[in-house]
Amino acid sequence: MEMGIVGLGKMGGNMAERLIRRGHRIVGSDPNEAARQRLSALQGVAVSNVKDLIDRLEQTPKVVWSMVPAGEITDNVITEAAQHLRPGDIVIDGGNSRYTDSQRHYAFLKEKGIRFLDAGTSGGIWGLQEGYCLMVGGDPDTFQAVEPLLRDLAPEGGLLHTGPAGSGHYVKMVHNGIEYALMQAYAEGFEILKASPYPNLDLEAICNLWQHGSVVRSWLLELAARAFHQDPNLEKIEGYVEDSGEGRWTVMESIEHAVPAPVIALSLYMRFRSRQPDSFSAKVLAALRNQFGGHPVHLADKHD
């Protein structure tokens, strides 16, 4: 089959390569010349904009996969694609869009006769070799039209049609909320091990040990072992953790539906805390303890 991919970054570029390896024709667009050169070297067709991408697609219906950051950039890609696609063509959003945006995109494109799928995509940089877990929302006939492409992107058992438009990104949103909590639990556990009275504990060896028969074994633990192998004390890494937005949306959904999710919520807040070089709330706590109990405080360095 054939597909156009808008966005040839770490995810989109690897997805293009995986599909080319499996015999599909890929047309890709990206403003970055190096990304286009990589696709060309793989025998894909590289262009710099959405219109040229759609013009170079030869099969019908034309299939365009958007793999760009969520929000305004995704909106722009879908709006531009709609100007050049015809009724019956298909747009797939594989980015981390909010599910309500996907519902809106579905309605917008349906008015023009263009079909839409939202594909929650997990796999990161390992997806090229391992495959991408795909959670896909949209009309069943649209899903079936591109199922061969999706099956070649996914590993065995890694593809599911989740339901109507928006459901794919909803499932991916909750998936990422769970991911936040799992990562936070591992992080806290290893910090306790690091602070233990046994200073020479081999954290990489513990990761590998827990992969055999332990109830906490997982791919994340395997990745932790790799990280400790590369940098045993993580001295080259700053403890600054971004969030993609999906953890926030998961917490907001838990509030909307009155579903308690304290672990996921706290893992999100810990990411916020990681970005504060000096927490003002911690200063307030220190000041209060000093005021009511005379507890000593650590004075900040003076700056000129």
Side-chain angles (χ1 to χ4, degrees):
M1 293 183 68
E2 176 188 70
M3 185 164 73
I5 298 179
V6 180
L8 300 172
K10 289 182 291 186
M11 290 281 283
N14 281 352
M15 293 171 72
E17 181 171 350
R18 184 173 173 88
L19 288 173
I20 289 171
R21 288 181 180 181
R22 284 157 176 76
H24 299 284
R25 180 177 183 266
I26 299 299
V27 181
S29 72
D30 198 287
N32 183 273
E33 184 177 356
R36 298 197 302 271
Q37 289 176 347
R38 178 193 174 195
L39 181 62
S40 296
L42 294 169
Q43 306 305 310
V45 179
V47 297
S48 60
N49 59 76
V50 174
K51 180 183 182 303
D52 287 347
L53 179 145
I54 292 172
D55 287 344
R56 297 294 292 273
L57 292 173
E58 299 172 352
Q59 298 178 2
T60 54
K62 295 186 176 184
V63 180
V64 176
W65 183 296
S66 174
M67 205 65 190
V68 300
E72 183 178 358
I73 297 177
T74 294
D75 286 346
N76 292 340
V77 167
I78 290 176
T79 299
E80 185 175 1
Q83 296 173 0
H84 305 290
L85 292 172
R86 296 180 178 180
D89 290 339
I90 299 171
V91 173
I92 306 172
D93 178 10
N96 285 330
S97 294
R98 193 169 187 177
Y99 77 97
T100 50
D101 287 343
S102 294
Q103 293 173 334
R104 176 169 54 83
H105 293 148
Y106 172 83
F108 167 72
L109 292 172
K110 188 174 183 178
E111 290 181 352
K112 302 177 181 299
I114 299 168
R115 297 180 283 175
F116 175 81
L117 295 172
D118 54 288
T121 305
S122 181
I125 59 175
W126 294 89
L128 175 59
Q129 285 77 31
E130 303 295 332
Y132 300 88
C133 180
L134 299 176
M135 301 145 258
V136 184
D139 296 336
D141 60 334
T142 306
F143 176 83
Q144 293 167 5
V146 296
E147 190 171 357
L149 285 164
L150 301 179
R151 291 206 175 279
D152 277 345
L153 279 172
E156 183 71 26
L159 172 64
L160 179 67
H161 179 231
T162 53
S167 65
H169 279 148
Y170 194 93
V171 172
K172 178 58 161 53
M173 174 189 71
V174 177
H175 164 284
N176 277 30
I178 294 170
E179 177 187 302
Y180 279 35
L182 290 172
M183 292 171 67
Q184 183 65 31
Y186 280 129
E188 292 175 11
F190 282 107
E191 184 165 16
I192 295 170
L193 288 171
K194 186 71 174 172
S196 77
Y198 306 99
N200 296 318
L201 289 176
D202 187 332
L203 301 186
E204 179 189 356
I206 292 170
C207 288
N208 290 326
L209 169 70
W210 287 350
Q211 288 290 70
H212 300 280
S214 166
V215 296
V216 300
R217 63 187 181 273
S218 73
W219 186 51
L220 284 173
L221 194 59
E222 179 183 335
L223 295 178
R226 290 176 57 90
F228 289 130
H229 177 76
Q230 295 168 357
D231 186 0
N233 294 310
L234 304 183
E235 295 174 338
K236 301 175 183 177
I237 298 176
E238 182 182 356
Y240 184 103
V241 188
E242 284 286 4
D243 68 285
S244 64
E246 290 175 304
R248 302 185 190 206
W249 302 336
T250 304
V251 172
M252 291 167 66
E253 282 294 304
S254 76
I255 296 170
E256 178 69 23
H257 299 290
V259 175
V263 176
I264 294 175
L266 185 56
S267 68
L268 173 64
Y269 296 147
M270 289 302 292
R271 292 195 177 197
F272 297 160
R273 179 63 183 89
S274 78
R275 302 171 209 164
Q276 295 179 297
D278 194 6
S279 167
F280 187 76
S281 65
K283 289 184 177 185
V284 174
L285 288 173
L288 288 173
R289 291 183 78 248
N290 176 259
Q291 290 293 325
F292 72 70
H295 300 288
V297 294
H298 293 266
L299 298 178
D301 293 334
K302 293 183 178 180
H303 299 281
D304 295 332

